[in-house]
């Protein structure tokens, strides 16, 4: 399975080795760039929820295709969109950080004007970046209960709260939410990687079975896939299979329905019990979470350029002048202190002079032994004992972040907290 995962990453994750795209500023931009209020807080929140590499993917592959309106850095505009999605805020709420009309234009330009191209790209990435039929078959053999080793995918409906003017609230009523909302079908493999997402539909008029029948499922799953469903999908299943040239009843697994007046057998009840315990904006969130999971699963190295977006004044290169701080990470503070101590002694030997009035060696030793406080770990790279952590130091900005091995940390809880944050959403 690990070999198959590595093949998938090699084939589908080229973005890891690509530079930041050039985004030329258009003529409607002002000369002066304005800072976004609380941008450091926003970047920290996004980095904590997603990690470095998923944000790098979003900015370089999906967002950084053109210049967006407003006198702000395009990188900041992209991070603001992720912040809104992760926090569950509205476009109006984003007026806390920049004018609502400006953010609305950015949001509309990315999700509206770019809708078809974005949807095609997201659909393709979901289907290909983190899952393949061979990988799904291999994964299903390990965690699945003995009776369900053939299940490779599972589908479930999710109701999401939504409210907008002039909406037909009755048709959108969700019995789960007790409010208006949209229902979306989400299909995941056994690694919890989202493989595809349906178009959203009004909750009242579209139950799970109706949505399944309209999803063209035979074009989304492989002939060797077996899709796990709950009982709400089965009413439309027979007609859907009959209309397909590729799917059969073997491509679906679902609980045994109780017939009127006839109790389930002990074997049927046990089958249902085991099965039950086992089983566009939304697409974007699913895709970025897929990437986050895969980064942790395969311990993918965070390269220097992946974290440039964390720098306070970083933006896409414009192809004309180098306004970006794209330098290599500075050495550790201890290394710099040792360098200073070494060169100072060489200088003394060369000049054959003694510095009077204070003990230079003692002063340098004190500097060398100074402890610097870790504010947070931004990312990591390498594997096993060679893992290095990208450290943001308290009192210093992201441009002074350094790569440190585990032995350099006085408090190992900082490392434990970092790994725990990657495993939670």
């Amino acid at each position: 399975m690990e070999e198959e995962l590595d093949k998938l990453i090699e084939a589908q994750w080229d973005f890891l080795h690509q530079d930041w795209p050039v985004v030329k500023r258009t003529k409607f931009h002002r000369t002066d760039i304005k800072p976004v209020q609380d941008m450091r807080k926003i970047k920290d929140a996004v980095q904590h929820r997603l990690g470095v590499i998923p944000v790098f993917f979003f900015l370089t592959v999906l967002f950084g295709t053109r210049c967006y309106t407003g006198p702000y850095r395009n990188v900041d505009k992209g991070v603001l969109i992720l912040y809104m999605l992760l926090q569950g805020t509205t476009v109006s709420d984003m007026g806390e950080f920049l004018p609502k009309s400006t953010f609305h234009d950015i949001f509309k330009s990315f999700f509206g004007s770019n809708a078809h191209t974005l949807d095609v790209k997201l659909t393709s990435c979901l289907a290909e970046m983190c899952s393949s039929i061979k990988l799904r078959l291999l994964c299903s053999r390990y965690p699945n209960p003995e009776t369900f080793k053939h299940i490779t995918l599972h589908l479930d409906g999710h109701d999401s709260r939504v409210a907008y003017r002039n909406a037909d609230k009755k048709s959108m009523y969700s019995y789960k939410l007790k409010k208006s909302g949209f229902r979306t079908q989400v299909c995941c493999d056994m690694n919890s990687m989202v493989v595809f997402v349906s178009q959203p539909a009004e909750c009242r008029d579209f139950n799970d079975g109706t949505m399944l029948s309209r999803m063209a499922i035979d074009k989304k799953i492989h002939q060797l896939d077996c899709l796990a469903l709950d009982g709400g999908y089965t009413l439309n299943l027979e007609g859907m299979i009959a209309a397909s040239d590729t799917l059969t009843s073997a491509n679906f697994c679902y609980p045994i329905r109780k017939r009127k007046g006839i109790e389930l057998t002990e074997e049927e009840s046990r089958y249902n019990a085991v099965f039950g315990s086992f089983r566009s904006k939304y697409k974007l969130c699913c895709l970025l979470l897929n990437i986050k999971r895969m980064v942790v699963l395969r311990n993918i190295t965070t390269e220097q350029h992946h974290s440039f977006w964390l720098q306070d004044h970083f933006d896409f290169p414009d192809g004309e002048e180098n306004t970006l701080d794209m330098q290599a990470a500075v050495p550790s503070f201890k290394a710099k202190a040792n360098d200073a101590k070494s060169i100072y002694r060489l200088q003394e030997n060369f000049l054959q002079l003694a510095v009077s009035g204070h003990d230079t060696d003692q002063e340098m030793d004190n500097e060398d032994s100074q402890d610097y406080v870790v504010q947070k770990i931004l990312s990591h790279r390498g594997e096993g004992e060679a893992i290095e952590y990208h450290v943001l130091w308290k009192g210093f900005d992201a441009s002074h972040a350094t790569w440190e091995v585990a032995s350099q940390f006085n408090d190992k809880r900082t490392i434990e907290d970092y790994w725990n944050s990657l495993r939670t959403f």
Side-chain angles (χ1 to χ4, degrees):
M1 188 175 71
E2 292 191 0
E3 181 181 349
E4 193 64 24
L5 280 168
D6 290 339
K7 287 181 181 178
L8 188 69
I9 291 171
E10 183 178 355
Q12 301 293 336
W13 288 55
D14 287 346
F15 76 91
L16 289 171
H17 313 294
Q18 294 175 357
D19 292 330
W20 286 80
V22 172
V23 178
K24 290 186 176 293
R25 295 189 175 277
T26 51
K27 62 182 179 180
F28 57 78
H29 278 293
R30 300 177 184 178
T31 303
D32 296 331
I33 298 296
K34 289 186 176 181
V36 174
Q37 186 173 343
D38 293 330
M39 197 63 213
R40 172 44 49 197
K41 180 188 82 171
I42 293 169
K43 286 187 174 183
D44 286 345
V46 171
Q47 191 272 336
H48 176 72
R49 296 289 295 277
L50 283 177
V52 171
I53 291 179
V55 180
F56 173 76
F57 169 83
F58 170 75
L59 292 173
T60 58
V61 177
L62 301 177
F63 188 78
T65 58
R66 63 188 184 280
C67 189
Y68 297 84
T69 185
Y72 306 93
R73 294 178 178 85
N74 282 298
V75 162
D76 292 352
K77 297 170 189 174
V79 175
L80 282 167
I81 285 181
L82 293 182
Y83 181 82
M84 188 198 77
L85 295 175
L86 292 168
Q87 298 296 114
T89 59
T90 66
V91 172
S92 296
D93 292 335
M94 297 303 289
E96 176 185 353
F97 308 110
L98 75 172
K100 287 186 288 186
S101 59
T102 300
F103 184 79
H104 177 268
D105 289 343
I106 298 168
F107 184 88
K108 183 178 179 181
S109 178
F110 180 68
F111 283 113
S113 306
N114 192 36
H116 177 70
T117 302
L118 179 62
D119 187 69
V120 170
K121 183 68 174 177
L122 290 174
T123 300
S124 172
C125 289
L126 279 172
E128 298 172 359
M129 280 188 65
C130 299
S131 188
S132 68
I133 181 58
K134 186 174 181 180
L135 190 57
R136 294 196 290 271
L137 293 174
L138 291 170
C139 290
S140 67
R141 299 303 187 262
Y142 173 66
N144 294 9
E146 190 63 37
T147 311
F148 302 106
K149 294 293 185 184
H150 60 298
I151 294 179
T152 58
L153 300 166
H154 56 89
L155 186 71
D156 200 7
H158 296 266
D159 291 2
S160 302
R161 179 80 174 97
V162 65
Y164 58 88
R165 295 176 183 174
N166 303 321
D168 182 2
K169 294 186 178 180
K170 291 183 178 180
S171 69
M172 298 172 62
Y173 184 79
S174 165
Y175 290 96
K176 294 180 182 178
L177 303 174
K178 305 302 181 185
K179 295 179 180 179
S180 59
F182 279 123
R183 178 166 296 138
T184 308
Q185 301 296 321
V186 181
C187 181
C188 298
D189 66 12
M190 297 301 106
N191 276 330
S192 297
M193 296 293 180
V194 177
V195 179
F196 61 84
V197 177
S198 74
Q199 294 295 327
E202 295 88 346
C203 288
R204 187 196 68 181
D205 297 335
F206 289 87
N207 58 35
D208 290 337
T210 303
M211 294 188 72
L212 176 64
S213 65
R214 298 188 177 198
M215 286 175 62
I217 201 76
D218 55 342
K219 294 181 174 59
K220 292 180 169 63
I221 68 175
H222 194 275
Q223 292 179 353
L224 295 177
D225 275 316
C226 181
L227 183 63
L229 307 167
D230 63 32
Y233 292 92
T234 57
L235 295 177
N236 301 70
L237 202 55
E238 186 175 345
M240 191 178 71
I241 293 173
S244 173
D245 295 329
T246 58
L247 299 180
T248 69
S249 59
N251 292 113
F252 302 93
C253 185
Y254 44 86
I256 300 171
R257 294 181 66 87
K258 181 181 177 181
R259 291 155 290 180
K260 188 176 181 179
I262 303 177
E263 295 295 326
L264 294 177
T265 67
E266 182 179 347
E267 184 180 10
E268 289 172 336
S269 297
R270 184 165 56 251
Y271 178 95
N272 283 358
V274 176
F275 182 84
S277 63
F278 155 70
R279 351 167 293 103
S280 265
K281 299 171 193 175
Y282 200 84
K283 281 186 180 180
L284 174 58
C285 293
C286 291
L287 175 59
L288 296 179
L289 285 175
N290 278 0
I291 295 173
K292 177 183 177 180
R293 292 188 188 102
M294 186 67 85
V295 167
V296 175
L297 185 65
R298 300 307 299 145
N299 193 23
I300 295 175
T301 300
T302 301
E303 302 293 346
Q304 175 69 31
H305 64 293
H306 296 162
S307 59
F308 284 161
W309 63 271
L310 282 166
Q311 297 180 14
D312 290 338
H313 304 296
F314 177 79
D315 201 3
F316 293 98
D318 60 15
E320 295 182 2
E321 55 180 307
N322 182 19
T323 59
L324 311 175
D325 183 11
M326 300 178 67
Q327 304 301 315
V330 296
S332 70
F333 291 102
K334 290 184 178 181
K336 292 170 72 175
N338 287 334
D339 287 344
K341 183 176 179 180
S342 176
I343 193 67
Y344 195 93
R345 285 173 174 167
L346 288 174
Q347 291 170 350
E348 274 195 312
N349 291 336
F350 178 77
L351 295 174
Q352 296 182 348
L353 294 175
V355 178
S356 60
H358 62 278
D359 188 339
T360 302
D361 283 351
Q362 181 63 44
E363 180 180 309
M364 297 302 249
D365 287 339
N366 290 341
E367 182 180 353
D368 189 33
S369 62
Q370 180 178 351
D371 286 333
Y372 295 89
V373 179
V374 176
Q375 181 172 325
K376 66 186 298 186
I377 297 176
L378 302 174
S379 58
H380 70 279
R381 65 185 180 187
E383 298 182 1
E385 296 182 356
I387 288 181
E388 294 180 311
Y389 299 93
H390 203 196
V391 177
L392 180 64
W393 300 95
K394 189 172 182 179
F396 298 85
D397 61 30
S399 65
H400 291 86
T402 62
W403 291 99
E404 306 290 345
V405 296
S407 61
Q408 293 287 343
F409 289 79
N410 293 331
D411 187 355
K412 297 299 189 291
R413 286 177 299 180
T414 305
I415 298 176
E416 293 174 5
D417 292 343
Y418 168 71
W419 286 111
N420 289 334
S421 72
L422 294 181
R423 296 186 179 95
T424 58
F425 172 67

